[in-house]
């Protein structure tokens, strides 16, 4: 399992700009001991973890994520075996090879560590260990705050499977422990931002429907995975009696409700802000759990086999992600070199490329030119002009600026910086 990840660990920190933001925060923490968030609402447990390898080559922190993905596979297989799923190893492998899991297990991002701890918490709760489950889920929330939402489906599971008094006691222990540990994780963020820390960058515009669908389906499951899910729905007449009988059995019905609640929760969260396919990672194991329980072994086996091949084909594949990362590694120094040739003082609007540029230039950069993420309004643009700065933008960033702030950089007088456009992440309209 780990061997399948090793070839993809060496090209930077990942194709997601947030991976470079994490690395910047981690380096600052490692060098100075001063904590700051990579982006709100903060990912403190992961940022502290990454600080341990922040001064090492990128492949080290990528390897840590890959190791988490191996643990996630083991935990999911154990969870399936606990629930008496026959093909638990095959379906566990399918989780590990689902494209959105595979791609995000080879970079410096918090998705996989968070879902690994969610699976550990789920397994602990199923084994009637609510204190341990609360501890694990609290740390998962410290990695990624939305991981804590799993407390609701798991409390439902306890209420569906235990006598009321026992369920109440275990739910309280589980929820209070989770909230306490999660709160402790976010104390560094609270000190910096107070109550305002519980926020995030929220676009006032949304991506078009085709981009949302691409992020929710092909970029999560891959083309073969989507085909497998469609085939599963089309084959429903052949196994609907099996599914109906399964749901009539109270213990199995509880598993289905746990899975449905979890998937619904994270699907709603994704649809509210459908910026990344990775937001659906917590739903993936519960989709596979529902398939494993509701379908006969031949159907779940078909889905699993197609998912094993899915990360190698099409948009969202590990091969495509590798090409994007290679392109980004070439493009970043090219942008810096092109900017260095500009006369006078300039502002370069970089968009999603800025974290990579900032990380490469380092904290000591004191050049004549200024690299900015976006320009928020015409007044800021005029301010740069009054300073005597020429404004440039990277290829594609003008479109993102138009979407994000309704500013047309070319009409204001900005010019494109002459560099070869880098390969874009699939279904990306900016980051």
């Amino acid at each position: 399992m780990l061997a399948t990840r090793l070839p993809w660990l060496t090209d930077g920190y990942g194709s997601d700009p947030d991976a470079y933001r994490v690395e910047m925060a981690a380096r600052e923490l490692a060098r100075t001991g001063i904590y700051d968030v990579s982006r709100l609402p903060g990912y403190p447990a992961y940022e502290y973890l990454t600080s341990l390898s922040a001064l090492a080559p990128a492949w080290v922190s990528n390897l840590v994520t890959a190791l988490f993905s191996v643990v996630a596979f083991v935990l999911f297989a154990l969870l399936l075996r606990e629930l008496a799923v026959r093909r638990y190893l095959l379906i566990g492998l399918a989780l590990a090879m689902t494209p959105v899991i595979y791609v995000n297990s080879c970079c410096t991002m918090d998705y996989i560590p968070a879902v690994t701890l969610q699976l550990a918490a789920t397994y602990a709760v199923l084994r009637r260990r609510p204190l341990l489950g609360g501890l694990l889920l609290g740390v998962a929330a410290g990695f990624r705050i939305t991981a804590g939402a799993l407390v609701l489906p798991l409390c439902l599971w306890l209420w569906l499977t235990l006598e009321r008094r026992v369920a109440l006691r275990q739910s309280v222990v589980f929820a209070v422990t989770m909230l306490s540990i999660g709160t402790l994780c976010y104390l560094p963020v609270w000190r910096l931002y107070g109550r305002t820390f519980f926020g995030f960058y929220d676009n006032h515009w949304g991506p078009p429907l085709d981009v949302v669908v691409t992020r929710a389906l092909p970029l999560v499951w891959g083309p073969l995975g989507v085909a497998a899910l469609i085939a599963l729905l089309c084959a429903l007449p052949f196994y609907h009696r099996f599914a109906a009988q399964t749901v009539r059995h109270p213990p199995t019905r509880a598993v289905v409700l746990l899975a449905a609640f979890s998937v619904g929760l994270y699907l709603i969260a994704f649809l509210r802000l459908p910026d990344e396919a990775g937001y659906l990672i917590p739903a993936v194991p519960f989709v596979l759990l529902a398939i494993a329980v509701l379908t006969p072994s031949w159907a779940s086996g078909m889905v699993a086999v197609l998912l094993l091949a899915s990360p190698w084909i099409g948009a969202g594949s590990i091969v495509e992600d590798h090409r994007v990362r290679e392109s980004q590694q070439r493009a970043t120094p090219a942008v810096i070199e092109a900017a260095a040739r500009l006369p006078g003082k300039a502002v370069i609007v970089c968009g999603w490329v800025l974290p990579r540029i900032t990380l490469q230039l380092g904290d000591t950069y004191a050049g004549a030119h200024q690299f900015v993420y976006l320009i928020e309004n015409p007044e800021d643009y005029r301010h740069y002009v009054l300073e005597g700065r020429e404004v440039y933008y990277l290829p594609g960033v003008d479109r993102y600026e138009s979407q994000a702030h309704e500013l047309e950089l070319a009409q204001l007088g900005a010019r494109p910086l002459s560099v070869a456009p880098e390969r874009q992440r699939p279904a990306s309209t900016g980051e």
Side-chain angles (χ1 to χ4, degrees), residues 347 380-391 412:
V347 171
D380 288 345
Y381 185 92
R382 286 192 288 270
H383 175 74
Y384 290 129
V385 173
L386 290 174
E387 284 185 337
R389 294 182 180 273
E390 191 78 30
V391 180
L412 289 170

Side-chain angles (χ1 to χ4, degrees), residues 101-158:
I101 301 286
Y102 193 0
V103 167
N104 283 284
S105 68
C106 302
C107 62
T108 303
M109 281 292 289
D110 45 78
Y111 295 120
I112 300 303
V115 79
T116 301
L117 289 165
Q118 285 181 295
L119 289 170
T122 302
Y123 185 61
V125 170
L126 264 60
R127 296 297 301 270
R128 311 305 185 198
R129 302 182 68 181
L131 183 63
L132 177 60
L135 172 64
L136 291 165
L137 192 59
V139 177
F143 277 89
R144 190 169 187 85
I145 200 166
T146 52
L150 192 62
V151 69
L152 298 175
L154 289 176
C155 282
L156 173 66
W157 161 269
L158 291 172

